[in-house]
């Protein structure tokens, strides 16, 4: 074995180990930051190893692409707000899937017109050539679905396009259309694999497969909305990994196979966890059209009766008398950029001997882990964050539950109202606390578009206003007591 090949293989092994350790360490808040750095280092090692293996190549375009990509990444990391993180994740998923599809298409073009000139791919080489053709087809299909689906997911979550496509768009006979589209893609793929050595015919089929799979990604995501978007983002993340793994098989790249498989598997596991947290099946998420219609009175203030409100000064008197407080963060906290304000409130309460904890629902925010990242940004101690299952029984022994910008994840209708679209979804038992204070701008519905009966309970007080401003006023009044 040549020295360059030996060095490359060693680099691949190191990067694969680092990828696996990075995924594992992402499972805990304390190690998540270092896990991200470890995974980034693994990617850098994999790239360098690939260049070492290739040997004599033209680095001009490679360096130019690395510089441009790095500048874009740095700019996005510095400019993107916390509220836009789900959109960023969605677009990154799309880029990953699109890159895999482009690599597969480029390999097909080279192999179909000049067999054997790229990575020794030869579609006439019997079983090996057939296997290569199949993996290329899978890479194109999964990659294109991920690209177009992620772009739609980005649009649904963005401020600009969300007002037009944010809600589910349920076109007529969509299930039949999707079934026919999938059958057409399968038929064309089978035909393409069978005649892939014919440049003209196979090129036409490859274009057709690409166009139809891009359309499939759009039609799969466009009917989805409401509280299902975190699940869709997680699923698309898995797709991007599977597309990379399929491309790895075609390229005979072990590091791409392993890293893509890790992303694909972890994405599927996370998707399953998200579905369980919402008490819904993946099929129901993808084809149910949840959120297309609002429940009666769900989005209108006049749909509520006997709602009691308080101002920050009145609420401060209850907080000063409390011995335990559980804070429930939601998307509204991220919108108001009030993570530092809630940390200051918690610090003020703890200085008075109050036991403060944070209850984190699995689907709070717009993507998995959104609230964890938001609070970590303000250096909230890790041991004060509790998952839903670990803290739900503590609300009944808590003096105050402070809900900041959350809505659907604290809606008792999920437990009590069989007619509610949320019925069966596990929620935080905030209504069991002695007092519940909810900070919201209005009585408007949450992302699922349904009425929250928590707001009408006798022990609930609404504090209307911007979350950051209300939290700052509440902290100031408590400090004066």
């Amino acid at each position: 074995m040549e020295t360059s090949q030996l060095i490359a293989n060693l680099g691949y092994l190191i990067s694969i180990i680092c990828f696996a350790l990075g995924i594992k360490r992402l499972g805990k808040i304390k190690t998540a930051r270092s896990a991200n750095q470890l995974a980034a280092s693994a990617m850098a090692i994999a790239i360098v190893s690939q260049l070492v293996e290739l040997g004599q190549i033209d680095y001009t375009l490679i360096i130019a692409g690395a510089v441009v990509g790095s500048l874009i990444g740095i700019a996005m990391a510095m400019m993107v707000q916390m509220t836009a993180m789900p959109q960023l994740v969605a677009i990154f998923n799309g880029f990953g899937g699109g890159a895999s599809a482009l690599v597969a298409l480029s390999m097909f073009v080279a192999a179909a017109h000049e067999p054997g000139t790229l990575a020794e791919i030869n579609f006439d080489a019997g079983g090996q050539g057939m296997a290569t053709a199949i993996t290329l087809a899978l890479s194109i299909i999964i990659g294109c679905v991920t690209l177009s689906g992620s772009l739609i997911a980005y649009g649904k979550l963005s401020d600009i396009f969300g007002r037009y496509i944010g809600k589910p768009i349920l076109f007529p006979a969509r299930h039949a259309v999707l079934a026919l589209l999938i059958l057409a893609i399968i038929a064309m793929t089978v035909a393409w694999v069978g005649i892939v050595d014919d440049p003209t015919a196979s090129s036409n089929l490859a274009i057709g497969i690409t166009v139809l799979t891009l359309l499939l990604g759009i039609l799969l995501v466009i009917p989805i909305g409401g509280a299902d978007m975190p699940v869709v983002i997680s699923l698309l993340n898995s797709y991007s990994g599977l597309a990379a793994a399929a491309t790895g098989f075609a390229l005979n790249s072990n590091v791409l196979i392993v890293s893509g498989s890790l992303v694909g598997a972890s994405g599927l596991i996370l998707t399953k966890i998200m579905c369980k947290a919402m008490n819904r099946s993946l099929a129901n998420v993808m084809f149910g059209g949840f959120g297309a219609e609002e429940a009666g009175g769900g989005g209108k203030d006049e749909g509520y009766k006997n709602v009691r409100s308080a101002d920050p000064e009145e609420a401060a008197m209850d907080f000063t008398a409390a011995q335990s407080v559980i804070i429930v963060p939601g998307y509204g906290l991220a919108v108001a950029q009030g993570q530092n304000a809630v940390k200051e409130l918690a610090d003020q309460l703890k200085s008075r001997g109050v036991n403060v904890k944070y209850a984190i629902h699995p689907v709070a925010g717009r993507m998995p882990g959104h609230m964890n990242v938001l609070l970590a940004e303000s250096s909230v101690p890790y041991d004060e964050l509790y998952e839903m299952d670990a803290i739900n029984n503590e609300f009944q022994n808590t003096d105050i539950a402070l809900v900041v910008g959350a809505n659907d994840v604290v809606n008792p209708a999920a437990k009590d109202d069989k007619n509610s679209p949320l019925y069966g979804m596990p929620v935080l038992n905030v209504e069991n606390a002695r007092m519940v204070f909810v900070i919201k701008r209005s009585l408007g519905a949450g992302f699922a578009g349904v009425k929250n009966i928590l707001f009408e309970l006798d022990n609930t007080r609404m504090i209307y206003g911007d979350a950051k401003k209300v939290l700052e006023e509440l902290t100031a009044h408590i400090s004066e007591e």
Side-chain angles (χ1 to χ4, degrees):
M1 181 181 294
E2 296 181 0
T3 303
S4 60
Q5 185 65 55
L6 181 62
I7 295 174
N9 289 340
L10 180 60
Y12 292 148
L13 179 60
I14 294 173
S15 64
I16 288 172
I17 294 174
C18 290
F19 277 130
L21 292 175
I23 291 288
K24 179 177 177 59
R25 292 173 66 83
L26 281 173
K28 295 183 179 180
I29 298 175
K30 291 183 179 181
T31 58
R33 185 186 297 272
S34 62
N36 196 36
Q37 296 169 345
L38 183 62
S41 300
M43 180 60 72
I45 294 172
I47 294 172
V48 172
S49 300
Q50 180 71 73
L51 296 176
V52 170
E53 182 180 10
L54 292 174
Q56 298 295 326
I57 57 176
D58 184 0
Y59 282 89
T60 304
L61 292 177
I62 294 175
I63 294 175
V67 170
V68 173
S70 297
L71 291 175
I72 293 175
I74 292 172
M76 294 181 74
M78 295 178 63
M79 296 172 59
V80 172
Q81 299 294 327
M82 180 59 65
T83 52
M85 285 300 295
Q87 295 94 300
L88 182 64
V89 173
I91 204 69
F92 279 173
N93 291 339
F95 288 165
S100 297
L102 287 174
V103 170
L105 284 169
S106 68
M107 291 177 64
F108 156 71
V109 170
H113 292 276
E114 298 181 54
T117 60
L118 180 63
E120 298 182 355
I121 295 175
N122 189 341
F123 292 108
D124 297 323
Q128 183 63 40
M130 184 67 70
T132 301
I134 292 173
T135 54
L136 286 180
L138 289 174
S139 183
I140 294 171
I141 292 171
I142 301 173
C144 288
V145 168
T146 305
L147 173 61
S148 58
S150 296
L151 291 176
I152 296 298
Y154 172 85
K156 282 179 171 290
L157 294 171
S158 69
D159 294 333
I160 299 176
F161 303 105
R163 68 187 68 178
Y164 304 109
I165 63 174
K167 290 290 183 181
I169 300 175
L170 307 181
F171 53 92
R174 67 184 188 281
H175 294 153
V177 172
L178 286 172
L180 290 174
L181 191 58
I182 292 172
L183 289 175
I185 292 172
I186 293 174
M188 293 177 69
T189 301
V190 172
W192 182 66
V193 171
I195 63 168
V196 75
D197 56 319
D198 183 342
T200 302
S202 59
S203 295
N204 292 334
L205 284 173
I207 293 172
I209 292 171
T210 302
V211 172
L212 289 184
T213 48
L214 287 171
L215 179 61
L216 177 63
I218 294 172
L219 297 183
L220 280 173
V221 179
I222 203 74
I224 303 173
D228 288 335
M229 287 314 297
V231 179
V232 175
I233 292 175
S234 176
L235 184 62
L236 290 171
N237 180 55
S238 175
Y239 286 172
S240 68
L242 295 176
T247 305
F249 278 107
L251 284 171
N252 195 27
S253 171
N254 291 331
V255 69
L256 194 55
I257 294 171
V258 173
S259 59
S261 299
L262 284 172
V263 174
S266 60
L268 287 174
I269 292 171
L270 181 58
T271 301
K272 182 179 179 180
I273 293 173
M274 299 296 290
C275 289
K276 181 179 179 181
M278 299 170 65
N279 194 36
R280 306 187 65 212
S281 67
L282 182 58
N284 188 243
V285 170
M286 297 301 295
F287 305 111
F290 176 60
E293 298 180 0
E294 294 183 356
K300 302 179 181 179
D301 290 1
E302 59 265 28
Y304 290 92
K305 299 179 181 179
N306 303 318
V307 175
R308 300 164 178 81
S309 63
D311 58 38
E313 184 175 5
E314 293 171 338
M317 292 187 290
D318 287 288
F319 276 90
T320 54
Q323 294 182 339
S324 59
V325 173
I326 296 179
I327 300 173
V328 181
Y331 185 66
L333 179 65
V335 172
Q337 298 183 7
Q339 57 268 35
N340 292 326
V342 79
K343 171 69 162 48
E344 293 173 1
L345 172 63
D347 289 343
Q348 178 63 230
L349 292 172
K350 286 188 288 185
S351 69
R352 304 174 68 92
V354 179
N355 182 21
V356 178
K357 296 180 180 179
Y358 296 82
I360 309 298
H361 192 281
V363 294
R366 293 295 186 266
M367 69 176 187
H370 198 174
M371 294 299 102
N372 302 71
V373 175
L374 183 72
L375 295 173
E377 192 178 68
S378 299
S379 300
V380 172
Y382 300 127
D383 56 2
E384 293 181 7
L385 305 183
Y386 292 82
E387 296 181 358
M388 177 180 62
D389 293 338
I391 201 170
N392 245 356
N393 291 332
E394 295 190 27
F395 282 102
Q396 58 189 350
N397 300 318
T398 300
D399 293 322
I400 295 178
L402 176 62
V403 181
V404 188
N407 200 320
D408 300 324
V409 298
V410 295
N411 194 340
K415 297 179 289 184
D416 305 328
D417 186 0
K418 293 185 178 180
N419 296 320
S420 172
L422 291 175
Y423 183 72
M425 171 181 167
V427 293
L428 292 163
N429 299 330
V430 296
E431 73 277 9
N432 292 338
R434 182 179 62 83
M435 286 289 297
V436 181
F437 288 97
V438 181
I439 300 177
K440 277 178 60 70
R441 292 181 180 274
S442 68
L443 291 173
F447 210 31
V450 299
K451 177 180 178 180
N452 193 341
I453 62 176
L454 173 70
F455 303 162
E456 296 178 327
L457 299 183
D458 292 338
N459 62 332
T460 299
R461 300 292 183 271
M462 304 296 299
I463 308 179
Y464 299 110
D466 175 82
K468 180 180 180 181
K469 183 178 180 181
V470 170
L471 289 168
E472 290 174 343
E473 292 180 10
L474 185 57
T475 302
H477 289 300
I478 292 174
S479 64
E480 294 173 358
E481 292 290 337

